[in-house]
Amino acid sequence: METLQKLLGIDLPLIQAPMAGVQGHALATAVSNAGGLGSLPCATLSLDLLRKEIEQIRAGTDKPYNINFFAHVPPVPDALRDASWHAALAPYYREFGINADEIPAGPGRAPFSAEVAELLSEFRPPVVSFHFGLPDKALLARVRSWGSRILSSATTVAEARWLEEQGVDAIIAQGLEAGGHRGFFLSHDLTTQLGTFALLPQIVRAVKVPVIAAGGIADATGVAAAKLLGAAGVQIGTAYLLTPEATTSAPHRAALKSDAIEHTALTNLFTGGPARGIVNRVMRELGPLSNVAPAFPLATAAIAPLRSKAEAQGSGDFSPLWSGQNARGCKEIPAADLTQELAAGW
Ligand SMILES: Cc1cc2nc3c(=O)[nH]c(=O)nc-3n(C[C@H](O)[C@H](O)[C@H](O)COP(=O)(O)O)c2cc1C
C-alpha cells in the first residue's frame, strides 16, 4: 500500500485536524511548512472568506494543504422544536437582556455546494477532506477531476466501508475521544460510536485504503500507539488549540489550561449535532444532550447571542469549548515545534 506521505505529498504522516472556529490559514500554513498536512476548516466561511483564506495559505506555503468541508444533509426546519429551543433558552435571554425577537435565524454551517466547488476549481487544492460523509457523486467527481486527494471521517466500520466504496483516497477513523463534532452519517445512534483503540484496528482490517487515526492522540507515544494499531498516519486537533497560530478564544484557552479538561462530554446544545467539549454552565444546566435542541446545524443561531454576551464578559459559560478527552497534550509552543514533537513518535 502506498504510504500516506506519498499519497498526500507530505514528509510527516501527521494531519493537523481542521477545527472550525478556532483556526484559519496561520495554523494550516505552519503545520504544512513543518512537513505535516495543515488543514483549513471551511464549514463556517463565506465564499469571500474562503477565497481569502486559501490565497493566504498559498502565499504562506508551497507545500500540500487540506481544505475541509461539512457534507451534511440540511434538515427540514421544525417550528415546534425551534419554539421549544427558544423557550429553554428564555431564562438566559432574560439574564443577559437579549430580545429573542431580534435574533437572526441562520443555518450556522453550510454543506459543500456547487458554488464552493466552482471557487475551488480555481485553486485545485491538493487535499480536500469532508466530515459527515461525502457530497453527492457529481460534486465529488468534480473535486476528483482536478486531482485533489479526498479524505473523510468514519466513526464505524460500516461508514469506513461505505467511504471506500465511494472511492475516497484515505479514511480518518474518528474515535469517540475526539474533540468537536462526531462525523457520523450512516447512523445517528450514539451507541454505535467506538473509542479510537477499538475502532482503528477494526477499520484497518475492513478496508484497503490508508487509515488515519483521530481522537485522543496528544503526544508522541499516542502517535506510536496509533502506528502499532495499523494507522497509516494520525489526525490531531485538540493538542494544537493552545498554539499561538490557533485563534482559540480567551475563555476557551483558559478552560484548556484548567482542570476542567478532565470533564468533557458530547453535547448538541451549540449546533444541534453531538460534539465533544469541556463541560460548562449551559451544558450542566440544559444537557449536555437535550432533545429540545433543533437538528444540526439549526441550534446555532439561538445560542449565538448568549455566547457573544458571555464571552464579552470573559466567560465561556455559553461557548462551545470543543476539546477531545485528552487535552493534556496542549502546548503553548509554535505549531511547527508541536508537529515535530508529535511526529517523533512515528
Ligand atoms: C475545536 C475543534 C473543532 C473541530 N472542527 C472540525 C471541523 O471543522 N471539521 C472536521 O472535519 N473536524 C473537526 N473537528 C474534529 C477533528 O477533525 C478530529 O476528529 C479531532 O480533533 C481528533 O481528536 P482530538 O481533538 O482528540 O485530537 C474539530 C475538533 C476540535 C477539537
Side-chain angles (χ1 to χ4, degrees):
M1 195 201 296
E2 200 178 17
T3 63
L4 191 70
Q5 294 90 310
K6 188 136 184 271
L7 180 71
L8 305 180
I10 51 180
D11 296 329
L12 308 170
L14 186 154
I15 302 175
Q16 162 255 315
M19 296 185 286
V22 299
Q23 56 121 161
H25 63 273
L27 182 59
T29 308
V31 175
S32 285
N33 280 334
L37 187 72
S39 301
L40 180 72
C42 304
T44 56
L45 299 183
S46 64
L47 284 178
D48 266 3
L49 269 177
L50 173 57
R51 174 183 295 284
K52 288 198 180 101
E53 286 286 305
I54 299 179
E55 281 169 354
Q56 300 255 38
I57 291 180
R58 297 202 348 160
T61 187
D62 51 11
K63 300 275 180 66
Y65 57 89
N66 169 37
I67 304 290
N68 169 261
F69 297 93
F70 286 179
H72 60 285
V73 180
V76 181
D78 176 340
L80 207 64
R81 207 154 150 204
D82 220 38
S84 309
W85 183 224
H86 274 83
L89 296 176
Y92 301 120
Y93 292 151
R94 281 195 292 279
E95 182 181 327
F96 285 92
I98 293 166
N99 181 351
D101 300 330
E102 288 171 5
I103 298 170
R109 280 146 182 83
F112 190 74
S113 64
E115 292 73 34
V116 172
E118 186 61 31
L119 190 155
L120 280 194
S121 66
E122 284 175 44
F123 296 100
R124 301 173 169 249
V127 183
V128 177
S129 78
F130 296 99
H131 214 42
F132 309 118
L134 290 168
D136 70 42
K137 284 189 174 16
L139 272 180
L140 196 65
R142 187 115 197 258
V143 176
R144 197 172 283 124
S145 74
W146 59 68
S148 303
R149 296 296 189 186
I150 297 170
L151 316 178
S152 183
S153 304
T155 69
T156 60
V157 173
E159 286 177 351
R161 287 204 175 100
W162 186 91
L163 289 173
E164 184 177 45
E165 276 164 26
Q166 311 307 309
V168 300
D169 294 292
I171 290 170
I172 303 151
Q174 191 197 30
L176 193 49
E177 299 92 324
H181 284 89
R182 306 292 318 138
F184 59 179
F185 56 95
L186 286 185
S187 159
H188 288 121
D189 174 355
L190 279 174
T191 66
T192 63
Q193 302 292 288
L194 307 180
T196 306
F197 261 46
L199 180 67
L200 173 63
Q202 296 194 70
I203 291 186
V204 167
R205 211 169 300 136
V207 299
K208 294 198 174 62
V209 294
V211 181
I212 298 150
I217 301 169
D219 56 23
T221 53
V223 170
K227 185 180 183 185
L228 260 181
L229 289 172
V234 292
Q235 175 161 304
I236 297 178
T238 299
Y240 283 97
L241 287 171
L242 291 182
T243 60
E245 292 90 345
T247 57
T248 315
S249 70
H252 197 170
R253 282 181 188 263
L256 285 163
K257 289 194 251 179
S258 75
D259 286 341
I261 54 169
E262 286 166 17
H263 191 189
T264 66
L266 291 179
T267 181
N268 63 348
L269 298 180
F270 300 106
T271 63
R276 184 173 298 284
I278 297 169
V279 173
N280 61 2
R281 178 180 162 197
V282 73
M283 285 165 71
R284 263 190 302 273
E285 292 179 3
L286 292 186
L289 293 166
S290 162
N291 55 16
V292 296
F296 178 86
L298 300 176
T300 315
I303 203 164
L306 290 166
R307 172 186 180 173
S308 316
K309 286 266 186 182
E311 283 189 4
Q313 300 169 7
S315 154
D317 282 352
F318 293 86
S319 306
L321 304 173
W322 300 147
S323 169
Q325 284 180 333
N326 187 359
R328 294 279 173 210
C330 291
K331 286 191 176 172
E332 293 178 282
I333 60 172
D337 296 347
L338 183 59
T339 303
Q340 294 296 341
E341 277 190 24
L342 291 163
W346 191 255

